[in-house]
Amino acid sequence: MSSTELPGVRAVAAAVSPAVSAVGVAEGEQLRSVALPGLTLTVRSRPPGRTGVPPALYVHGLGGSSQNWSALMPLLQDVVDGEAVDLPGFGDSPPPDDGNYSVTGHARAVIRFLDAEERGPVHLFGNSLGGAVATRVAAVRPDLVRTLTLVSPALPEIRVQRSAVPTGLLAVPGVAGLFARMTRDWSAEERTRGVMALCYGDPGRVSESGFRAAVAEMERRMGLPYFWDAMVRSARGIVDAYTLGGQHGLWRQAERVLAPTQLVYGGRDQLVSYRMARKASAAFRDSRLLTLPDAGHVAMMEYPEAVAQAFRELLDERGGS
């Protein structure tokens, strides 16, 4: 979308090798870089527990990375060959050459990756922004998707929760710069606690080692010259997607999804309203719903066992493939 094309994007995109610490990799995980025309994606994988299992792809949310799936991936490695992608400008993936951070732009990146790797059809997972991206992928390329699992997908809401307003304001010109100036003295630890308070139903569930790893990742991201640019443009992309009508509207595309769909909503989600679960269940034609009253916005990180069990049940319904 033209609204995501901001001045200076090519200069920002050129600075993709800053002197920052290495991205975290959990035991048993592997990272690889996939070069596509105008796009380079970092992909996190965990070798499957047995041969012959179908492929899966995990897509993170706004401000997240492939690490958001590190708790869930090992719980499913016996039934899928899982990979998690860092969307352009997030995690360890550099910005896209065209500076397009719209939902459609991210969806195109996922589609191009799947086409290039010839891994489809996959079991496709998406959280938040990644849920909107996965919905669009499933709607426009049903041949690439076996099943769809959406954790708190960022689908348009008529009445946005008050706690989600500050995130949406990032899309307003000038606000991100103002916020960056106001918070320039915040430590990585303070920023991390703020993010966890917003995204987790109960931040106290995070272990000390998990918190320290999150702080280290926050420090790494804040050292990237394109960090705020990617955040702002992607936030604007979500807002733009919310305003689209007709066949390109996300709810209309949800109705077009043919793949069996598992929906996961958290009762303490401050970013995607719990009340949207009913609307989503009605929109996706072949859906089942898991509600977790104590979960926040990232149920796959807070309650990975419950999300894994829901997916296994979805697999069982389809005969295990």
Side-chain angles (χ1 to χ4, degrees):
M1 298 178 185
S2 60
S3 60
T4 64
E5 305 297 331
L6 302 182
V9 62
R10 299 192 185 280
V12 173
V16 296
S17 300
V20 296
S21 59
V23 68
V25 183
E27 184 177 354
E29 292 181 345
Q30 301 171 355
L31 289 183
R32 64 189 177 95
S33 182
V34 178
L36 302 168
L39 189 69
T40 300
L41 299 175
T42 295
V43 179
R44 182 180 304 266
S45 63
R46 179 175 286 274
R50 56 191 177 92
T51 60
V53 295
L57 185 69
Y58 304 86
V59 187
H60 64 81
L62 180 67
S65 75
S66 58
Q67 292 186 71
N68 293 167
W69 300 99
S70 289
L72 181 64
M73 290 174 71
L75 301 181
L76 295 177
Q77 69 182 101
D78 62 318
V79 291
V80 296
D81 181 0
E83 292 188 327
V85 63
D86 284 333
L87 290 173
F90 293 95
D92 208 35
S93 293
D97 285 357
D98 63 3
N100 189 344
Y101 288 99
S102 67
V103 171
T104 297
H106 285 312
R108 285 182 185 142
V110 171
I111 290 170
R112 290 173 61 192
F113 167 71
L114 290 174
D115 280 341
E117 296 288 299
E118 298 183 342
R119 278 178 61 82
V122 299
H123 293 290
L124 186 60
F125 293 71
N127 168 234
S128 191
L129 165 63
V133 170
T135 296
R136 185 149 290 174
V137 171
V140 302
R141 288 293 303 273
D143 58 304
L144 293 178
V145 183
R146 295 172 185 254
T147 67
L148 186 62
T149 298
L150 304 177
V151 182
S152 296
L155 300 174
E157 299 184 38
I158 297 176
R159 291 184 296 117
V160 178
Q161 293 188 104
R162 184 177 300 175
S163 53
V165 170
T167 301
L169 285 175
L170 284 176
V172 177
V175 170
L178 175 63
F179 182 75
R181 291 192 296 273
M182 290 175 60
T183 63
R184 63 179 177 270
D185 294 328
W186 289 12
S187 68
E189 183 169 320
E190 289 172 323
R191 294 178 187 273
T192 301
R193 290 192 188 280
V195 170
M196 288 185 170
L198 183 63
C199 292
Y200 280 73
D202 178 9
R205 291 179 59 87
V206 181
S207 67
E208 181 62 24
S209 60
F211 176 73
R212 290 301 162 195
V215 170
E217 174 61 11
M218 179 64 73
E219 290 176 334
R220 190 192 72 83
R221 292 184 190 181
M222 294 304 296
L224 297 171
Y226 51 82
F227 171 81
W228 280 112
D229 192 63
M231 283 286 291
V232 170
R233 293 170 188 265
S234 292
R236 190 169 301 169
I238 295 174
V239 173
D240 286 349
Y242 277 25
T243 64
L244 284 177
Q247 63 178 346
H248 299 296
L250 284 169
W251 284 115
R252 182 68 64 85
Q253 292 195 320
E255 294 170 353
R256 291 169 52 192
V257 171
L258 301 176
T261 302
Q262 175 67 58
L263 299 166
V264 182
Y265 281 82
R268 296 184 178 179
D269 195 331
Q270 299 181 65
L271 294 171
V272 170
S273 176
Y274 192 55
R275 66 176 180 268
M276 300 305 294
R278 180 176 297 180
K279 181 172 183 177
S281 294
F284 290 91
R285 66 180 71 187
D286 182 6
S287 68
R288 60 279 298 142
L289 174 65
L290 171 65
T291 58
L292 298 170
D294 294 326
H297 192 58
V298 287
M300 73 286 187
M301 300 172 71
E302 300 173 86
Y303 296 93
E305 295 84 2
V307 176
Q309 181 59 35
F311 176 73
R312 288 177 180 276
E313 292 171 2
L314 177 63
L315 272 188
D316 289 342
E317 290 181 17
R318 300 185 69 254
S321 63

